[in-house]
Structure formats: structure tokens, C-alpha cells
Amino acid sequence: MGTDTVREQAADEAAERRREQRGWYVYDWACSVYSTSVLTVFLGPYLTSVAKAAADADGFVHPLGIPLRAGSFFAYCVSASVILSIFVMPLAGAAADRTGRKKPLLAVAAYLGAAATAGMFFLDGDRYLLGGLLLIVANASLAVSMVLYNSYLPQIAPPEERDAVSSRGWAFGYASGALVLVANLILYTAHDTFGVSEAMAVRICLASAGIWWGAFTLIPLKRLRDRRTTSSSGTSTHGWRQLAATVRDIRRQPLTLAFLLAYLVYNDGIQTVISQASVYGSEELGLDQSTLIVAVLLVQVLAVAGALGMGRLARTYGAKRTILGSLVAWTVTLGAGYFLPAGAPVWFFVLAAGIGLVLGGSQALSRSLFSHLVPPGKEAEYFSAYEMSDRGMSWLGPLLFGLTYQLTGSYRDAIISLVAFFVLGFVLLARVPVRQAVRDAGNPVPDRI
């Protein structure tokens, strides 16, 4: 084979890789609107208000006969969705690796979640149980889809590109969230002009996120390609046996497991802040919905810059050190949030800016760092374990948040309790020798990690 032919083949492979990468970015663009508009901004306060409308004189609702404070219902539903994810995600990851057919599984998870989100249009009156059910289905579906989505990263990006590719994916997601939040803000603040009630405006915003998610998912489904594996003769009926084998295999990679434990802890804090911030702002600080939308929009815009900026820092200082720095920033920011005065939007915006600058980067770099710790050929299985740490195991934070509020009646006490996740996560991550972990996984060690 001539030199020119080799160059042409390499150029073609690079062009195909870039095409897949661009399609991969678009799934972040598609599904991140759920995380921002639904989970972070609208659903928490709205579902809480629906639960309060259904509450008894003492402020309790009684799903399945269990007395729950209405103000804790949303947090408990988030925890329930995560617990469901724990059982489903490993099966999806094992099935994807055994069959090599990730796209059909990604399509099922994405469109189930999109449909549940669109169904939130019918959440009105005192239908808090419907809202809880749709939240659980949508959240669990998103978690499963992210297992499959993340598992493409080692296949579409060589080691030297992964920090940048992962960061661009997060940047696409935050840019999408910001764009849709602008439209949400216009509809919500001018709902009278559009001839709809405030509650109807919220329901439209919720449903539109599901439509957006489903529409843009078509692009990655067209551009990403399945790769057949040597173990493709298996079927998903062997999922539980494959899950047990995956757990045993990860235990033979103790340093990868140590990273997952650290990520489980600090990401639990991150996910809880994301899902409960709007409830804290509305219920404890007395801020209106428009203020919350602007604050989250600020987070989205700065998160784009933060994800790209921290990606550059990782090239200089390594991903591990950059993540550790972000955890310090998270701890300081969350501690400051405890002392925010009620009814002061400016200080809430300052807090939102601090969160935005570290949010995207800490998540993007964690994903790219983990991709180096995955043994070749086991991407979906290992990323199912990663996603369990990312979303599937992030039930302790919401549960602690809900229990703290249930016991104290104070959202300030609930928010400050989350500091422990960042402090402990920092300590655990600092103890992981990542270079040795990469070598143990059988992967080349980048110059900076």
C-alpha cells in the first residue's frame, strides 16, 4: 500500500470520526434541555405546588398510604427514579456490549424519556402522583440513555482527544439549555400576552422539553454507528449474569473502582444541587420563577465557558488536579449559599455564576478521565457502572436533602448538609493514582492526566 493511499485512508478515517463526534455532541444538545428546563427550573417548584394542593391540613400527602411532607415529595421522587435506574442501567450496558447494538437501545431510552417529559403537559390540579410517575420514568430513561451515549466516547475519540471532545459535548448541552431557557423565560414572563395562565405556561415549557429531546435525538441516531463485538452472540436475557461478571471484573480493577467511589460521592452532591436549587430558591429565599429562570440561564451560559476553560486547564495541569480544584470551588460556593439573604436576587445570581463556572468542567473532565480507566472492549459495561455513579447512585443526596427538610423544616439546613459530599469526594479522589490506574486498565497513559 502506497504512502498516498495510507494518507488518504487516514484522512477518511479522521473525517468519519469527526462526523460521528459532531453527531455525538447533538445528543447532549437534545437531552440537556430536560435537565435544565424540567429538572432544574420548572418541575421542582411546580410539582411541589401541585403536591401542596393535594396535601392535608398538616401539609402532608399520602402516596401508598405513606405520610410525606409535600415540600419533600419532589426530592423523594428524584431518589426513587435513581433507585430504579440502578436496576436498569447495568442491564442496558451489558446488552449493548454483548450485542454491539447501542443505537436501538439508545433510541428506546431516549424516546421513552421524551414521551414522559411531553406528558407533563397534563400535570395540573392536584395530580401530584402523575407528576411523580412521569418524573421517575423520564429521569430513569435519561440515565439509561446516558450509559449508552457515554460509552461511545472511547470509540469515537482517541485518548489525546477525549478531554476536548467530552468538554465540547457538555458545552453543546449547556448552550442548548440556555437557548431553550430564553424561550421559556419569554413565555413565562409574558404569559398574559400569549393568552395563557402561569400554570399553563409552565406546562408548555415542560412538554416542549420532551419534544425538543425527541426531535434532536434523530441526528445522533443517524450519525453514530454500531460496532459489532466479539461477544455479540449473547442476548439481553443474560443481563443479570453479565452484570455479575461486570461487577467481578471491576473489582479486579481496584484503582478504577476507587475512582468510581470518589465520583459517586462528589457527583451525588453535584446532582442534588442541580435538582434542588430551584426549590431552595423559591421556598427558602422567596424568589419568583422568573428570577430562577434567569439564574439558571446564567448557569448555562457560564457553564459553556467553564467546560471549555477547564478543558484547557486540564491540558496544562491534568484532569485530576483540575477536578480537585473544582471540588474546592463547589464547597466554597455551597457554603456561601447557606448564608444567602431571602428576597435578594443579586446574591442568588452571584451564587449561580459560581456554580456555572465549575459545573460543566467538573462533569466533563470526570467523564473523560474515566474513559482512560476502561479496559478496551468493555466500554458500555463500565460506563453503566459510571452512570450508576453519575445518576444511578445519586439518591443519597436528594434523600438526605428531603429528610433534613422533613425533620427540621429548613431548606438552609438541607442545603448545607450537601457540603459533606464534596469534602469526602475530594479526599477520595486525591488518593487515586490515576496514571497507574490507566496502565492497569491496559490503556496508553496521556502526557497530562
Side-chain angles (χ1 to χ4, degrees), residues 192-338:
D192 289 335
T193 304
F194 292 102
V196 297
S197 66
E198 181 178 300
M200 176 62 76
V202 171
R203 289 161 55 199
I204 292 173
C205 291
L206 292 172
S208 64
I211 296 171
W212 180 283
W213 184 358
F216 282 102
T217 295
L218 293 171
I219 296 174
L221 290 179
K222 182 177 181 180
R223 292 200 171 188
L224 293 171
R225 60 187 178 89
D226 284 334
R227 291 157 173 85
R228 305 301 272 177
T229 65
T230 57
S231 60
S232 60
S233 60
T235 66
S236 59
T237 59
H238 298 93
W240 285 110
R241 269 183 282 174
Q242 184 61 57
L243 171 59
T246 301
V247 171
R248 288 194 298 270
D249 193 76
I250 293 176
R251 290 177 63 184
R252 290 195 289 268
Q253 303 287 339
L255 297 182
T256 299
L257 187 60
F259 173 82
L260 276 175
L261 177 61
Y263 182 68
L264 182 155
V265 173
Y266 71 74
N267 187 67
D268 203 337
I270 293 174
Q271 295 297 327
T272 306
V273 172
I274 292 172
S275 66
Q276 305 302 321
S278 59
V279 176
Y280 180 70
S282 62
E283 298 294 325
E284 183 69 33
L285 303 182
L287 303 176
D288 59 31
Q289 191 74 64
S290 298
T291 300
L292 297 177
I293 295 173
V294 173
V296 176
L297 180 59
L298 180 61
V299 170
Q300 297 300 113
V301 172
L302 291 178
V304 175
L308 297 176
M310 287 181 66
R312 294 190 182 95
L313 286 175
R315 289 198 291 270
T316 302
Y317 300 103
K320 177 184 173 180
R321 289 183 180 179
T322 307
I323 295 169
L324 289 172
S326 76
L327 296 182
V328 173
W330 270 108
T331 302
V332 172
T333 302
L334 199 60
Y338 177 81

Side-chain angles (χ1 to χ4, degrees), residues 79 82 264 268 272 393-402 418 421:
S79 286
V82 172
L264 182 155
D268 203 337
T272 306
M393 291 302 290
S394 297
W395 57 273
L396 287 173
L399 181 61
L400 177 61
F401 188 94
L418 303 178
F421 290 97

Side-chain angles (χ1 to χ4, degrees), residues 63-74:
L64 303 177
I66 303 170
L68 301 177
R69 193 184 291 270
S72 297
F73 181 72
F74 173 70

Side-chain angles (χ1 to χ4, degrees), residues 33-278:
V33 172
Y34 168 83
S35 299
T36 53
S37 290
V38 177
L39 196 61
T40 305
V41 178
F42 287 107
L43 189 58
Y46 186 68
L47 183 55
T48 299
S49 69
V50 172
K52 287 183 175 180
D56 59 23
D58 296 321
F60 285 81
V61 290
H62 301 268
L64 303 177
I66 303 170
L68 301 177
R69 193 184 291 270
S72 297
F73 181 72
F74 173 70
Y76 289 147
C77 286
V78 173
S79 286
S81 71
V82 172
I83 292 171
L84 174 62
S85 303
I86 292 172
F87 293 97
V88 181
M89 288 190 299
L91 299 181
D97 277 338
R98 290 179 67 86
T99 65
R101 294 176 57 79
K102 296 179 185 178
K103 281 208 297 184
L105 294 170
L106 177 61
V108 170
Y111 283 106
L112 182 59
T117 305
M120 293 177 185
F121 178 80
F122 301 101
L123 177 58
D124 61 354
D126 60 356
R127 297 179 178 177
Y128 77 98
L129 286 176
L130 174 63
L133 176 62
L134 293 175
L135 166 60
I136 290 170
V137 171
N139 236 25
S141 298
L142 177 64
V144 171
S145 74
M146 292 302 291
V147 169
L148 304 162
Y149 167 71
N150 286 336
S151 69
Y152 275 102
L153 180 58
Q155 297 177 339
I156 65 173
E160 66 275 9
E161 293 183 6
R162 286 181 202 165
D163 284 349
V165 171
S166 182
S167 295
R168 288 191 201 112
W170 281 107
F172 263 68
Y174 287 118
S176 167
L179 177 64
V180 173
L181 274 179
V182 170
N184 292 160
L185 180 62
I186 293 171
L187 174 61
Y188 182 81
T189 55
H191 60 84
D192 289 335
T193 304
F194 292 102
V196 297
S197 66
E198 181 178 300
M200 176 62 76
V202 171
R203 289 161 55 199
I204 292 173
C205 291
L206 292 172
S208 64
I211 296 171
W212 180 283
W213 184 358
F216 282 102
T217 295
L218 293 171
I219 296 174
L221 290 179
K222 182 177 181 180
R223 292 200 171 188
L224 293 171
R225 60 187 178 89
D226 284 334
R227 291 157 173 85
R228 305 301 272 177
T229 65
T230 57
S231 60
S232 60
S233 60
T235 66
S236 59
T237 59
H238 298 93
W240 285 110
R241 269 183 282 174
Q242 184 61 57
L243 171 59
T246 301
V247 171
R248 288 194 298 270
D249 193 76
I250 293 176
R251 290 177 63 184
R252 290 195 289 268
Q253 303 287 339
L255 297 182
T256 299
L257 187 60
F259 173 82
L260 276 175
L261 177 61
Y263 182 68
L264 182 155
V265 173
Y266 71 74
N267 187 67
D268 203 337
I270 293 174
Q271 295 297 327
T272 306
V273 172
I274 292 172
S275 66
Q276 305 302 321
S278 59

